[in-house]
Amino acid sequence: MIMKKKRHQSKIFVGLLILFIVLLIVLGFVIIDVSKEDKDDKSNVDISDVAEGVEEVVNPIKTYSFSLVMAGDALIHSAVYADAKVGSGYDFTGMLSNIKPIISSYDLAYYNQETILGGSEIGLSTYPRFNSPYEVGDAFIDCGFNVVSLANNHTLDRGEKAIVNSRKYWNSKNVMVNGSASSLEERNNIDIREVNGISYAMLSYTTTTNGLTRKNNYHVNWYDKETVKKDVESIRDKVDFIMVAMHWGTEYNTGVSSSQKDIAKYLASLDVDLVIGTHPHVIEPAEYIDDTFVIYSLGNIISAQRTDEQLSGLLMSVTVNKVENTETGEIKVSVDNPTAQFVYTYSKKTSSGGRYGFKLYPYSMLNEKLFSNYKTMYNKLKTRMTSLDPNVKVIGLEGDTDGNIK
């Protein structure tokens, strides 16, 4: 009996177990189906409903920047344009080929066109009253230059025809120019552009015309405080960044004159961001005046002048940074990381003392065959560049860290 009872209980237990398993299976399908429906429902939920009541944190600070490199005077003597003669025209691109990789790597690249591009049709000429072929501009544009100053002591050399030709040429190119115009309207129509979210403009003035009389106030921009103030104020609220090209100082003087200092301080008081100096034909130092970075002289970028000083030019690069607070509208622009490197105009001499084979070399590419004194000159220029502001960085020769090159 006991065994039978046990067998009977076992059957009941087995039956109940089977029933329980069946119920679990059925319940599992129900759970899976409900879960699937719930999942499907969630996939259709609007994220904004989920995030309702959660405040999104947005950073109001926006940052922008661009890179800028600056070169000095393109002083096209007859030896230079004779060396560039090709058939019925001229080709200067080979002279600049060594610096093209440097220049073209920057967002903006500035230089001073010292000799006016009046074109071959009115006759080319050299010192003391220059006129150069349009192909000079073609070569500099090909090299990567896109900001050009036209106000200097040679702007009036060949009169109104050369000025009209020059502006017609530059107006046909996608290049920012300032300093010389064909009309008052053109002079007052200051070019404003934008790069990497930063708006910018360039103004250009000269303090000398080599004694040539200005017939109006637009063929060349003459420096005077009231004119400059008016020009700066006309665009200060329209642009983030203003650079002013100044043709000033004393030729062949490696120091900074009191008049340069006075003008630089005045421009800084007008909230100009950058002052770019040319005219001395030699390199002068750089410094900050408050928040304004001032380069007193870039020297020559290319010329047929003779001394090591005159044949050595400065490439000065900076990073322009803009920080904008989108909530308050406050904008702060700074000129940072000033870095100097030097270039040298190499040429060969003929038996009669003439010059040919003009070519620019960064100092990093020089050797004693090209320029026997290049290491001594490099050390001299480096010391000068940092004399007013030791934070100006100098690069160019391998191994140059803290000391001089031996």
Side-chain angles (χ1 to χ4, degrees):
M1 291 292 294
I2 296 173
M3 287 294 299
K4 194 178 279 189
K5 186 176 181 181
K6 282 184 177 181
R7 286 174 64 89
H8 179 69
Q9 290 175 339
S10 175
K11 286 180 182 180
I12 294 173
F13 175 78
V14 170
L16 290 173
L17 180 61
I18 292 172
L19 179 61
F20 179 73
I21 291 172
V22 171
L23 288 173
L24 281 177
I25 292 172
V26 172
L27 182 61
F29 278 112
V30 170
I31 291 172
I32 291 171
D33 188 61
V34 170
S35 175
K36 182 175 182 300
E37 288 180 4
D38 185 57
K39 184 177 180 181
D40 289 340
D41 287 342
K42 285 182 180 179
S43 67
N44 293 322
V45 172
D46 192 334
I47 293 180
S48 62
D49 294 335
V50 176
E52 187 177 357
V54 179
E55 184 177 350
E56 183 181 1
V57 178
V58 178
N59 186 358
I61 305 301
K62 303 294 182 183
T63 60
Y64 311 85
S65 69
F66 70 78
S67 58
L68 166 65
V69 65
M70 294 154 280
D73 301 336
L75 187 55
I76 311 301
H77 295 93
S78 58
V80 179
Y81 63 72
D83 193 41
K85 184 67 175 173
V86 179
S88 60
Y90 298 86
D91 185 356
F92 297 86
T93 56
M95 298 180 183
L96 307 180
S97 61
N98 285 335
I99 68 165
K100 183 176 180 178
I102 298 172
I103 302 302
S104 60
S105 68
Y106 289 86
D107 296 310
L108 297 183
Y110 161 99
Y111 86 101
N112 170 50
Q113 185 52 59
E114 179 82 356
T115 56
I116 196 162
L117 304 189
S120 302
E121 63 262 37
I122 64 172
L124 302 185
S125 55
T126 188
Y127 180 83
R129 303 279 286 273
F130 291 91
N131 179 50
S132 301
Y134 302 129
E135 289 91 336
V136 174
D138 294 342
F140 274 84
I141 292 171
D142 174 76
C143 192
F145 290 96
N146 50 21
V147 181
V148 185
S149 174
L150 303 179
N152 58 66
N153 57 310
H154 291 292
T155 305
L156 302 178
D157 276 1
R158 294 295 298 273
E160 184 173 10
K161 180 60 176 174
I163 290 169
V164 171
N165 285 0
S166 167
R167 277 307 302 242
K168 184 177 180 180
Y169 168 79
W170 289 113
N171 290 347
S172 71
K173 308 298 180 181
N174 185 25
V175 172
M176 174 177 282
V177 296
N178 191 271
S180 177
S182 301
S183 66
L184 183 60
E185 181 183 7
E186 186 173 60
R187 184 248 182 255
N188 291 335
N189 185 23
I190 298 171
D191 195 1
I192 295 175
R193 303 193 183 195
E194 183 177 303
V195 59
N196 298 345
I198 302 176
S199 57
Y200 66 95
M202 186 264 293
L203 301 171
S204 175
Y205 307 92
T206 184
T207 59
T208 174
T209 59
N210 287 352
L212 297 176
T213 302
R214 294 182 305 132
K215 295 180 180 179
N216 52 58
N217 62 355
Y218 55 83
H219 279 168
V220 64
N221 284 356
W222 181 260
Y223 174 84
D224 71 72
K225 285 187 173 182
E226 290 307 311
T227 299
V228 173
K229 182 179 180 181
K230 182 179 178 181
D231 288 343
V232 171
E233 289 179 347
S234 72
I235 60 172
R236 181 65 280 182
D237 292 337
K238 300 176 183 178
V239 298
D240 301 312
F241 176 75
I242 297 178
M243 49 187 147
V244 172
M246 281 302 312
H247 211 68
W248 59 3
T250 305
E251 288 186 319
Y252 317 120
N253 181 13
T254 59
V256 179
S257 70
S258 59
S259 64
Q260 285 172 285
K261 280 277 192 177
D262 289 343
I263 293 172
K265 290 177 181 178
Y266 180 68
L267 292 173
S269 75
L270 296 179
D271 198 25
V272 166
D273 300 289
L274 175 66
V275 180
I276 310 169
T278 55
H279 178 60
H281 302 303
V282 292
I283 295 171
E284 293 178 354
E287 67 174 339
Y288 284 94
I289 298 178
D290 297 325
D291 294 328
T292 302
F293 187 60
V294 181
I295 308 156
Y296 287 104
S297 177
L298 291 159
N300 295 324
I301 184 63
I302 189 169
S303 75
Q305 293 192 311
R306 300 286 177 167
T307 70
D308 293 346
E309 288 278 5
Q310 295 161 352
L311 296 174
S312 295
L314 170 64
L315 297 181
M316 176 66 81
S317 64
V318 296
T319 301
V320 176
N321 291 305
K322 169 185 168 182
V323 179
E324 179 181 9
N325 188 319
T326 57
E327 288 184 351
T328 66
E330 182 183 3
I331 293 175
K332 180 174 177 54
V333 174
S334 60
V335 179
D336 303 315
N337 192 33
T339 304
Q341 55 185 312
F342 310 122
V343 294
Y344 179 75
T345 300
Y346 169 81
S347 65
K348 302 175 184 178
K349 295 181 181 179
T350 66
S351 57
S352 60
R355 309 280 286 283
Y356 72 101
F358 288 88
K359 197 172 186 69
L360 293 182
Y361 284 87
Y363 262 62
S364 59
M365 295 179 65
L366 289 175
N367 55 50
E368 292 182 357
K369 185 177 180 180
L370 292 169
F371 178 16
S372 61
N373 202 35
Y374 81 102
K375 290 183 180 180
T376 300
M377 192 66 200
Y378 175 85
N379 291 332
K380 185 178 181 180
L381 295 174
K382 179 181 178 180
T383 300
R384 185 184 308 157
M385 277 311 308
T386 57
S387 62
L388 297 181
D389 189 340
N391 294 316
V392 174
K393 184 179 179 182
V394 179
I395 62 173
L397 290 187
E398 185 178 356
D400 181 20
T401 52
D402 298 322
N404 290 337
I405 295 295
K406 295 182 172 62

